[in-house]
Amino acid sequence: NAGVTQTPKFQVLKTGQSMTLQCAQDMNHEYMSWYRQDPGMGLRLIHYSVGAGITDQGEVPNGYNVSRSTTEDFPLRLLSAAPSQTSVYFCASDSGRNTEAFFGQGTRLTVV
Amino acid sequence: AQSVTQPDIHITVSEGASLELRCNYSYGATPYLFWYVQSPGQGLQLLLKYFSGDTLVQGIKGFEAEFKRSQSSFNLRKPSVHWSDAAEYFCAVTGNTPLVFGKGTRLSVIA
């Protein structure tokens, strides 16, 4: 039972490069979210989705795009990476707003 | 908008001592509250959750938390801390939106 799987675990990008962080869940959860974690800031919501084809912005959406073509996958795209996007990124899924969220192991991204 | 405040950035306790981590939330309706723990370099693990009913909830690893509506608090407690409890602890709240997290409390345990 894999749960929430994020890839890659580590990534170094140069400023201006683009990349996609992958997130997949095998629990048939409708809700998926992306957070970034920075020292002293906790986890801040980037984007979230309440079902296939439906996405919305969170607290810190600038510089990131998402799409949700299937229930299982929720990729996060950085179109032009900036040093300010250096962070640890977590993907989460849950089956409803009042249920437990399950988290992936995180992607540590460094933009130089 | 909902929010969570964890007033203590860093707490140090001796092994075997009791622990209380504070959490205050702001939410207009009935909140759903969580405590997560994150060990260094790891993801987040759910310790316990409060949805309704008994205001004292038990979690894993010997942790418990008490929901106090009048104080808008959901403090985490453990009667006797072990060295392996050293980690970062996050309180979170939700209603009809994704989880909103506090900034976390880092727990250090000394011998």
Side-chain angles (χ1 to χ4, degrees):
Chain A
N1 188 1
V4 179
T5 302
Q6 289 184 237
T7 56
K9 287 186 170 52
F10 301 93
Q11 182 70 49
V12 179
L13 287 179
K14 293 182 178 179
T15 297
Q17 286 185 316
S18 63
M19 81 159 295
T20 299
L21 308 185
Q22 301 291 345
C23 176
Q25 52 93 6
D26 61 358
M27 297 172 282
N28 201 33
H29 286 166
E30 287 296 316
Y31 295 78
M32 296 185 75
S33 306
W34 276 103
Y35 294 85
R36 60 177 288 172
Q37 182 179 22
D38 303 291
M41 300 297 292
L43 281 83
R44 293 180 291 170
L45 183 68
I46 304 171
H47 285 285
Y48 65 99
S49 169
V50 298
I54 306 171
T55 63
D56 206 347
Q57 296 182 350
E59 179 185 357
V60 288
N62 292 341
Y64 307 95
N65 280 353
V66 292
S67 60
R68 185 97 179 270
S69 57
T70 68
T71 299
E72 294 78 20
D73 301 297
F74 190 43
L76 179 71
R77 298 182 184 85
L78 285 70
L79 300 179
S80 179
S84 61
Q85 294 178 304
T86 294
S87 187
V88 181
Y89 292 84
F90 287 98
C91 178
S93 75
D94 63 78
S95 58
R97 277 297 155 251
N98 305 327
T99 61
E100 173 188 351
F102 293 83
F103 285 82
Q105 287 300 298
T107 296
R108 184 174 294 274
L109 176 68
T110 302
V111 182
V112 298
Chain B
Q2 55 209 35
S3 65
V4 175
T5 301
Q6 293 181 246
D8 304 304
I9 296 173
H10 183 206
I11 286 181
T12 299
V13 300
S14 298
E15 192 169 14
S18 63
L19 171 70
E20 183 170 30
L21 302 183
R22 296 182 291 164
C23 171
N24 293 98
Y25 68 91
S26 174
Y27 185 64
T30 300
Y32 298 85
L33 296 156
F34 305 80
W35 275 99
Y36 284 85
V37 62
Q38 184 182 36
S39 297
Q42 301 297 310
L44 282 86
Q45 180 181 24
L46 181 70
L47 282 177
L48 47 79
K49 58 191 176 188
Y50 171 77
F51 286 169
S52 63
D54 193 346
T55 57
L56 185 63
V57 294
Q58 303 296 322
I60 62 171
K61 304 184 179 185
F63 285 92
E64 66 178 25
E66 186 171 13
F67 170 60
K68 293 185 177 179
R69 184 186 299 275
S70 61
Q71 299 177 18
S72 298
S73 69
F74 189 55
N75 294 348
L76 182 71
R77 300 193 294 249
K78 187 170 185 177
S80 178
V81 170
H82 187 262
W83 64 265
S84 61
D85 292 324
E88 189 146 22
Y89 292 79
F90 294 95
C91 182
V93 65
T94 184
N96 288 318
T97 57
L99 283 171
V100 173
F101 286 87
K103 294 184 177 181
T105 297
R106 184 162 62 92
L107 174 66
S108 298
V109 181
I110 58 175

